[in-house]
Amino acid sequence: MKGWMGKIRALCLLGLTALVLSACGKENLTALDPKGYGAEQSFNLIVLTTIVMAFVLATVLIVYTIVLIRYRKKKGQENYIPKQVEGNKTLETVWTVIPIILLLIIAVPTVTATFDLADNSAASDNLNVQVTGNQYWWHFNYEGQEIQTSQDLYIPVGEKVYLNMKSSDVIHSFWVPTISGKMDVNPENENTMYIQAQEEGVYWGKCAEFCGPSHSLMDFKVIAVSQEEFDQWVQDMQNVNPDEEPGSTVAQEGQALFQEKNCMGCHAIGSSPAQTGPNLTNFGDRSKLAGVEELNKENLKQWIMDPESIKPGNKMTGNYPDVSEDEAGKIAEYLMQLQPSDITPESAGKE
Ligand SMILES: [Cu+2]
């Protein structure tokens, strides 16, 4: 009875661990619930290879168990040597041909998918976005659209969007597991991939190549919206007037400080391409600050005064004049009201 209780306890513990660990994933940050063409291709390959490997494992275990039981040393079998099968042609053929077949079963769909996902022959008929990886943020330049933005990539659902990617510093890797595979983002050459979301929603992206102390905080989002919403967003972004005066006095003072402190030296609002820091055109529409913190005035104030406490090793630290708490509050007020569009991560459904 005691032994059984122990086993039941162990089983319960195992079940509980599985339950707790299964909650570690996020539905919009997983390769196991694909919502995009590239992710679906990868997922199908994961399933195929898992089946093949499970088959190999099961076969080896079964043969191993049979041999272990059937050919164990029996009574009176002192110094007994079983029949030797070295050089057996049938056996040699079987265990050479089976792995070849298994490898072909994996290789053919893998190579086909690789070529399919690398095909950029339709790039000129579709939306192209120049993606730049930076320590530790992402920049998106919509080619031919006069739209520059950072951190949030808006795309029309169901459409192929071609990403032409380069890094401004070290090697990064662009990865939105729920809708696409990974692609290295190198400083010396441009890599191209396409993404295609099959459902509207907000998908989390990660940098998948270690790139410095804040590599794990280099998060971004892909926001897939309907074609009408996307067109509306494009129009809203194109209509932004960077010099427009905000409504409240505090925000106006913030705008003046933003210029006075030369924040524009690195950041841009509108479609100006010159920038070494994130573009802030639709900053107030974002749901995250620096990709990781909740976007609110308090967090933003903290970021302006001490970015190092949120993203160690970022390039803003030590690169701008001192700002008092009062001034940071005013700048934060100004930045929070940069909300050119009603199409936001929040409106796109889940966050
Ligand atoms: Cu990175």
Side-chain angles (χ1 to χ4, degrees):
M1 190 67 189
K2 238 185 170 181
W4 276 108
M5 284 308 286
K7 273 178 196 157
I8 289 170
R9 234 178 263 150
L11 263 178
C12 287
L13 195 68
L14 195 72
L16 197 71
T17 314
L19 200 71
V20 170
L21 287 179
S22 67
C24 286
K26 292 194 175 101
E27 64 167 324
N28 46 6
L29 183 67
T30 173
L32 301 179
D33 182 18
K35 303 270 172 59
Y37 184 70
E40 199 177 63
Q41 301 283 307
S42 308
F43 180 71
N44 291 342
L45 290 173
I46 293 173
V47 172
L48 178 72
T49 40
T50 307
I51 291 173
V52 170
M53 287 185 289
F55 169 74
V56 172
L57 182 73
T59 311
V60 170
L61 279 180
I62 289 168
V63 172
Y64 176 76
T65 314
I66 291 173
V67 170
L68 208 65
I69 294 168
R70 203 165 151 190
Y71 298 103
R72 65 195 302 185
K73 191 172 156 191
K74 297 187 184 86
K75 263 186 192 165
Q77 275 189 339
E78 295 303 322
N79 299 326
Y80 168 75
I81 297 173
K83 187 184 160 201
Q84 296 301 291
V85 291
E86 193 192 335
N88 183 313
K89 275 194 186 139
T90 318
L91 269 181
E92 296 279 356
T93 313
V94 167
W95 64 48
T96 305
V97 169
I98 290 180
I100 290 176
I101 293 172
L102 292 178
L103 275 180
L104 280 176
I105 291 174
I106 294 175
V108 172
T110 304
V111 173
T112 312
T114 305
F115 277 95
D116 179 11
L117 294 174
D119 173 32
N120 59 2
S121 57
S124 54
D125 307 327
N126 286 280
L127 177 63
N128 278 249
V129 180
Q130 261 171 27
V131 176
T132 313
N134 307 275
Q135 284 169 319
Y136 303 95
W137 55 282
W138 296 88
H139 186 71
F140 307 112
N141 174 8
Y142 289 68
E143 286 173 31
Q145 307 261 16
E146 299 275 298
I147 295 176
Q148 308 258 354
T149 180
S150 298
Q151 296 297 75
D152 287 0
L153 174 66
Y154 288 76
I155 59 166
V157 74
E159 296 294 321
K160 279 184 179 175
V161 178
Y162 286 81
L163 307 176
N164 307 310
M165 304 194 276
K166 231 177 152 179
S167 165
S168 72
D169 36 51
V170 298
I171 302 172
H172 302 278
S173 178
F174 183 96
W175 191 33
V176 192
T178 314
I179 54 172
S180 76
K182 286 176 198 166
M183 180 60 82
D184 271 4
V185 182
N186 302 323
E188 66 276 358
N189 69 297
E190 193 176 82
N191 277 344
T192 299
M193 79 185 287
Y194 65 84
I195 55 171
Q196 189 176 23
Q198 290 157 332
E199 274 180 38
E200 286 178 35
V202 179
Y203 303 102
W204 287 23
K206 285 265 176 197
C207 176
E209 181 77 43
F210 181 68
C211 57
S214 284
H215 155 70
S216 67
L217 305 174
M218 196 172 154
D219 294 8
F220 63 103
K221 299 223 164 60
V222 172
I223 298 135
V225 294
S226 69
Q227 185 68 52
E228 298 85 71
E229 285 176 311
F230 181 73
D231 294 341
Q232 182 61 51
W233 180 81
V234 167
Q235 219 175 51
D236 294 341
M237 289 295 280
Q238 287 171 339
N239 285 340
V240 169
N241 170 12
D243 302 319
E244 195 178 292
E245 206 172 62
S248 80
T249 326
V250 185
Q252 283 168 16
E253 287 173 24
Q255 186 184 33
L257 281 165
F258 191 76
Q259 278 154 5
E260 218 171 273
K261 302 277 179 188
N262 198 25
C263 304
M264 298 296 242
C266 296
H267 297 282
I269 294 166
S271 61
S272 152
Q275 54 197 344
T276 49
N279 181 293
L280 303 175
T281 309
N282 60 347
F283 181 82
D285 283 341
R286 292 187 206 159
S287 56
K288 291 281 182 200
L289 167 71
V292 282
E293 293 272 315
E294 196 191 322
L295 181 67
N296 58 44
K297 218 181 130 185
E298 271 319 296
N299 286 348
L300 180 53
K301 246 171 79 177
Q302 192 201 338
W303 169 265
I304 295 169
M305 289 188 302
D306 185 14
E308 197 66 11
S309 66
I310 295 177
K311 245 181 191 178
N314 77 85
K315 287 182 182 150
M316 184 156 137
T317 302
N319 244 340
Y320 63 105
D322 274 342
V323 227
S324 71
E325 195 177 338
D326 179 53
E327 289 171 332
K330 286 173 180 167
I331 296 174
E333 183 80 23
Y334 166 59
L335 295 177
M336 291 293 285
Q337 57 82 54
L338 294 173
Q339 296 177 317
S341 186
D342 290 335
I343 317 296
T344 63
E346 219 175 13
S347 81
K350 59 199 173 190
E351 198 286 295

